[in-house]
Amino acid sequence: MHLDLPTLVVMGSFVAACAGAVLLFAWSQNQKISALAIWGLANLANAAGILCLMLGPALHQPVWSISSRILLVLAPGLIWKAARSLDARSAPLVIALVGAVVVGLASGFPGTRDFTGLLSLGASSAYLLAAAATLWVGRTESLAARWPLIILTAAHAAVLSIGMLSTFNGSIGQGEIPALLSAFGLIHFESIIFTLGTAVFILALVKERNEAASRMAANIDPLTGIANRTAFLESGERVIERCRRDSMPVSVMMFDLDRFKSINDTHGHAVGDAVIRKFCELTRATLRPNDVFGRLGGEEFAVVLPGSGIEAAFVRAERISTSFAEGCRFVEGRPVNATVSGGVSISINAEQTLTALLESSDAALYGAKSEGRNRIRRADQSGPKGDVSTVIRVA
Ligand code: GH3
Ligand code: MG
Ligand code: MG
């Protein structure tokens, strides 16, 4: 099979048009993600630019070559904007367009016209490098598809720089069709890989991100940002299992905000929500990295404390209760005076499950409520063979 550069270029244009259409279609399904639309438009600009690049030498009309250079620098400008938008960073349109405008203006003057190829490649390379840097900065979001996107974008910037050097050295003339085995052959071949690869990995990244958001929504309580009941029970059980294997103690604290219904009734639901958030914020500040904190429901919370004895758990729960009472004297300017009651228990035999520990802590919490609230109580776990109390609070 014989493959020449014009065939490769036409193929590149077709691939870019298809990739652009696919990204625009994906955007039409998910219009909140404007990066898909911008990257799609960049691919369409690229497809049109490549076509104009072919038409220039064929029709001997400079307008096609000028248009191709403008479009071919517009595409990376838009890719830069799309990469910024993907990570919710600002990207003024004027910066994305400035390269194309400069190349357009340079084409209008005989003195600068001969340098537009060089300018176009240099500006494209700079945009792509900036796009790769943006994607790199956002790498803390652990999405696997981000890495190939960074590599493909940085590699494309490097290949365009090689093209720029070839133009600069004069190994490629302006307006002529280069050979397949030249720097420009490499650019067109690599461009196809770039266009296809980035389209695939952008879609993969968006999918990965959506899945991570759904997982998060299934595990995180939206009001407080801490684990919901299901996620807490799962993580807590895992931690208890690990402590059991390592023969480490594990304690469980349980909290219930006092007379919360009356806070809602007196100050309104929004203030009630603020009190719940304040409790979570204060408790979170006291946690160690392996502790598991969750909202069991309404105004009830629990924490699993691996490696913590009952006395240490008791002291920590008291500290939380005191700082909450202090921190919630006034909420949103209102004299709320919220308090919290709590119960703590410890795993005292190897078979104990999180459910059993929560039952013990709940029984102690019930004791704290009956004794007048705003206090912490230890569970009575001195039954035969260290069995936990079977008292389960029902209200
Ligand atoms: P106790 O001291 O015995 O715990 O009394 P309490 O009033 O705190 O207990 P009760 O179970 O009677 O009331 C809990 C209230 O918590 C009722 C419910 O409307 C309120 N609540 C549950 N979830 C939320 C929430 O997300 N936001 C707000 N503002 N209120 C909530
Ligand atoms: Mg309650
Ligand atoms: Mg309550």
Side-chain angles (χ1 to χ4, degrees):
M1 186 187 79
H2 177 71
L3 180 67
D4 55 11
L5 191 62
T7 314
L8 190 65
V9 170
V10 170
M11 211 167 92
S13 176
F14 179 71
V15 166
C18 290
V22 166
L23 291 182
L24 284 173
F25 177 75
W27 170 75
S28 73
Q29 305 291 301
N30 205 340
Q31 295 189 8
K32 273 187 286 181
I33 307 170
S34 49
L36 291 173
I38 303 169
W39 206 303
L41 288 174
N43 281 336
L44 293 185
N46 198 27
I50 297 171
L51 269 191
C52 293
L53 189 71
M54 288 304 297
L55 292 175
L59 301 178
H60 300 291
Q61 285 173 350
V63 66
W64 296 108
S65 298
I66 295 170
S67 308
S68 86
R69 280 172 196 153
I70 293 174
L71 287 165
L72 289 177
V73 81
L74 173 66
L78 291 175
I79 285 174
W80 168 78
K81 187 170 167 55
R84 304 269 309 170
S85 151
L86 204 57
D87 284 348
R89 290 172 193 276
S90 72
L93 187 61
V94 64
I95 298 181
L97 298 182
V98 73
V101 172
V102 169
V103 167
L105 287 175
S107 315
F109 300 99
T112 48
R113 192 168 297 150
D114 287 348
F115 300 104
T116 49
L118 204 63
L119 202 61
S120 173
L121 283 167
S124 301
S125 184
Y127 275 129
L128 290 165
L129 217 55
T134 301
L135 293 166
W136 168 263
V137 168
R139 70 192 180 285
T140 41
E141 181 192 34
S142 57
L143 298 176
R146 182 179 286 276
W147 295 104
L149 263 186
I150 295 173
I151 293 167
L152 285 167
T153 311
H156 196 44
V159 167
L160 291 187
S161 303
I162 295 172
M164 193 174 80
L165 287 178
S166 299
T167 309
F168 190 68
N169 291 338
S171 53
I172 284 295
Q174 305 264 332
E176 67 185 49
I177 299 178
L180 182 63
L181 294 175
S182 67
F184 278 72
L186 170 71
I187 290 181
H188 286 288
F189 184 66
E190 186 275 339
S191 291
I192 294 177
I193 297 173
F194 168 77
T195 308
L196 267 181
T198 48
V200 167
F201 287 113
I202 258 219
L203 292 174
L205 187 142
V206 167
K207 183 166 175 280
E208 248 187 301
R209 198 178 259 175
N210 284 344
E211 283 171 1
S214 314
R215 263 201 312 279
M216 180 95 143
N219 290 332
I220 299 293
D221 169 52
L223 177 68
T224 60
I226 67 170
N228 62 19
R229 184 186 183 90
T230 312
F232 168 78
L233 293 177
E234 271 175 28
S235 310
E237 201 62 78
R238 261 201 311 273
V239 166
I240 288 174
E241 177 59 38
R242 206 178 314 133
C243 288
R244 187 177 302 139
R245 272 201 314 271
D246 300 344
S247 305
M248 258 166 57
V250 56
S251 294
V252 169
M253 317 195 266
M254 200 162 161
F255 296 98
D256 184 297
L257 307 191
D258 296 329
R259 305 201 193 286
F260 196 66
K261 192 174 176 314
S262 112
I263 292 179
N264 273 336
D265 293 345
T266 313
H267 303 287
H269 210 266
V271 171
D273 282 354
V275 171
I276 288 179
R277 279 197 297 266
K278 185 81 186 166
F279 175 78
C280 292
E281 184 192 311
L282 291 169
T283 304
R284 243 176 165 169
T286 71
L287 299 182
R288 296 166 309 179
N290 292 333
D291 296 340
V292 182
F293 178 31
R295 184 178 183 188
L296 296 180
E299 23 73 270
E300 295 178 11
F301 304 86
V303 189
V304 174
L305 307 166
S308 193
I310 185 100
E311 280 314 311
F314 180 75
V315 169
R316 286 178 66 188
E318 285 219 305
R319 222 174 272 149
I320 290 170
S321 156
T322 310
S323 69
F324 177 66
E326 277 167 15
C328 279
R329 281 213 182 99
F330 285 87
V331 176
E332 297 186 352
R334 288 167 161 274
V336 173
N337 288 311
T339 58
V340 65
S341 299
V344 292
S345 65
I346 184 167
S347 170
I348 48 171
N349 65 46
E351 285 82 43
Q352 256 175 333
T353 60
L354 178 55
T355 312
L357 285 168
L358 283 172
E359 282 172 4
S360 298
S361 299
D362 199 29
L365 170 57
Y366 184 61
K369 290 276 182 193
S370 338
E371 287 172 30
R373 295 175 171 79
N374 190 19
R375 65 200 67 207
I376 307 296
R377 286 292 168 261
R378 298 174 190 79
D380 175 12
Q381 297 175 291
S382 54
K385 288 192 272 169
D387 286 351
V388 295
S389 159
T390 51
V391 179
I392 302 173
R393 191 166 60 90
V394 290

